Amino acid sequence: MPAQANTTPRGRQFFNNPGPTNIPDRVLRAMDRPVMDFLAPEFLEIHRACYAGIKRVFKTDQEIFFHASTGHGAWEAAVANLFSPGELVLVIETGYFSMGFKELAETLGLRVEVVQADWRTGVDIAKVAERLAADKGHEIKAVLAVHNETATGMVLPLAEVRRALDQAKHPALLLSDTISSLGSMEYKMDAWGIDVTIAGSQKGLMLPTGMAITGVSSKALEASRKAKLPKYYFNWELMAQRKPQRFIGTVPVHFFFGLQESIKMLEEETLEGVFARHARLSNSVTTVMMPEGHTSDAMRKIALERFNLSLGGGLGPLMGKVFRIGHLGDLNEPMLLGCLATTELAMKTAGVPFAAGGVDAAIQSLAA
Ligand SMILES: Cc1ncc(COP(=O)(O)O)c(C=O)c1O
């Protein structure tokens, strides 16, 4: 019998976008409570616990700021707080998101130079080191890096970028976007000498979209005191002065209810356990190229509409040419195998040629 269209989807949707990711029921339940005055002692205790907890997740003892925004807001906050018009920053190309960070910095008035790289093979760190060593006058004020490039699934070795800065004795700040790595792969803000860590709520932290979190080193705070780009809502100094809430405007208390629970979940599993689980399930995004003559969007539409599986699409120049499987956050083996089997089913239904045996290979790997 031919497969019937799934016109009335039953069961849970298999959600394998690389962000937002699945929100665990525990986090949903923690957020399902009445609102609270953000200056009430009960809330301030939750707020305090979230600050302390997120420092453990970032592995930092330095400053933390929460923004009611998506990751783009935290990018904008970092640029506006750290730089003055016309200053030069170095962007390491990894893919679509590194180019977005570049565009934002240029739009806010910075000069941007890019260390170019192929999106499939990644950057040669020696090229970063070379550029830094050549900058004898220390014109470059910062290196902007994306830890896990969500468009391609490529991971940038941040510790090597730090080493390149140290070897060149270059004082530039190191900014890292951990939007799709935090809470899914190892990250050590202080040990790796990161000056600004940018994170979002909707991936490894397993929360709804809409809160961004920034870790700021004392060196970056020092730089922010001299920076002349205009800012108000994102002004870190102003935020720090708003005591005790450290927030400009109304604090989104429900995010903190959720974050307290998500930190609890990460720590129950232990961060090392979380990273090991992600490594076992494959860290944390896979970008799959379509064969010539087939668009990923047609296959993704079948996956969603007939089989209730949500996959990520290609971004920027990769639109239609690739699809992305997100396997990060609240995920286990059956969820992953269900996604892989249904991806094969959708490809078969769409007439996309592929080599059989992918799901079997995944079982072999997971059983090992
Ligand atoms: C690596 C990376 N940087 C930045 C962003 C932008 O974050 P947001 O969509 O939360 O604004 C994303 C979003 O997916 C991302 O994956």
Side-chain angles (χ1 to χ4, degrees):
M1 250 185 36
Q4 292 292 308
N6 191 3
T7 50
T8 312
R10 293 287 183 234
R12 282 209 170 192
Q13 182 174 87
F14 272 60
F15 194 85
N16 283 90
N17 287 46
T21 64
N22 293 292
I23 306 173
D25 290 349
R26 271 179 66 177
V27 169
L28 291 171
R29 296 294 82 80
M31 296 179 81
D32 180 11
R33 60 184 290 189
V35 75
M36 206 182 270
D37 181 341
F38 61 79
L39 296 176
E42 188 181 359
F43 177 70
L44 291 175
E45 181 49 33
I46 294 169
H47 187 252
R48 191 207 55 73
C50 287
Y51 269 87
I54 207 71
K55 284 186 180 194
R56 294 191 297 273
V57 176
F58 277 34
K59 298 212 167 80
T60 185
D61 286 328
Q62 311 197 63
E63 283 283 359
I64 298 286
F65 295 99
F66 288 92
H67 299 295
S69 77
T70 68
H72 277 81
W75 274 356
E76 185 149 344
V79 170
N81 276 283
L82 292 169
F83 308 113
S84 298
E87 284 187 332
L88 178 67
V89 295
L90 194 66
V91 167
I92 300 177
E93 181 172 13
T94 46
Y96 177 82
F97 287 103
S98 63
M99 295 299 98
F101 205 177
K102 165 188 180 278
E103 188 179 318
L104 181 140
E106 277 172 346
T107 306
L108 294 195
L110 302 189
R111 285 180 300 129
V112 183
E113 209 179 294
V114 177
V115 181
Q116 292 177 340
D118 182 281
W119 289 18
R120 292 193 81 181
T121 51
V123 77
D124 178 0
I125 299 288
K127 277 169 68 180
V128 179
E130 227 168 76
R131 181 62 190 98
L132 291 168
D135 183 33
K136 300 284 182 225
H138 298 163
E139 203 189 342
I140 296 166
K141 297 299 168 214
V143 176
L144 277 49
V146 174
H147 186 202
N148 185 50
E149 174 53 71
T150 324
T152 63
M154 193 139 51
V155 182
L156 183 69
L158 287 169
E160 288 181 29
V161 178
R162 174 78 263 163
R163 209 168 304 129
L165 280 158
D166 291 347
Q167 278 169 0
K169 297 195 171 41
H170 201 295
L173 298 168
L174 177 54
L175 277 58
S176 93
D177 168 334
T178 67
I179 289 173
S180 65
S181 60
L182 192 85
S184 64
M185 56 183 76
E186 183 174 64
Y187 186 73
K188 297 176 174 173
M189 176 168 168
D190 290 356
W192 291 350
I194 310 286
D195 292 296
V196 176
T197 299
I198 292 165
S201 53
Q202 76 272 22
K203 301 194 202 261
L205 292 177
M206 308 174 289
L207 294 167
T209 311
M211 184 154 75
I213 311 165
T214 310
V216 184
S217 73
S218 45
K219 181 175 160 189
L221 277 181
E222 188 61 40
S224 75
R225 291 188 194 105
K226 297 179 210 124
K228 296 203 170 53
L229 278 176
K231 60 252 166 203
Y232 185 86
Y233 180 67
F234 287 128
N235 187 328
W236 293 334
E237 196 174 355
L238 200 58
M239 293 178 83
Q241 286 164 6
R242 299 278 167 102
K243 290 191 175 121
Q245 73 273 32
R246 293 171 57 85
F247 205 86
I248 295 166
T250 308
V251 180
V253 295
H254 281 78
F255 266 109
F256 287 89
F257 299 158
L259 179 60
Q260 188 181 31
E261 190 67 19
S262 88
I263 293 170
K264 211 180 279 176
M265 289 178 70
L266 292 173
E267 293 190 330
E268 276 172 15
E269 190 177 356
T270 75
L271 286 173
E272 288 62 38
V274 170
F275 304 150
R277 173 170 55 84
H278 281 82
R280 203 168 61 247
L281 299 177
S282 174
N283 265 338
S284 63
V285 184
T286 300
T287 301
V288 184
M289 250 176 129
M290 296 297 285
E292 277 300 320
H294 295 269
T295 79
S296 57
D297 292 341
M299 186 279 285
R300 286 173 57 238
K301 189 166 157 39
I302 289 173
L304 185 65
E305 293 179 359
R306 288 183 67 163
F307 306 121
N308 212 6
L309 166 70
S310 182
L311 296 167
L315 296 171
L318 298 181
M319 195 175 285
K321 296 190 177 139
V322 302
F323 67 92
R324 293 175 304 145
I325 302 176
H327 25 83
L328 71 162
D330 192 37
L331 193 81
N332 61 19
E333 284 81 352
M335 290 159 89
L336 182 66
L337 290 171
C339 164
L340 292 178
T342 311
T343 300
E344 290 201 357
L345 174 61
M347 289 199 290
K348 197 164 189 67
T349 310
V352 177
F354 63 95
V359 174
D360 251 5
I363 292 171
Q364 296 297 333
S365 159
L366 292 170

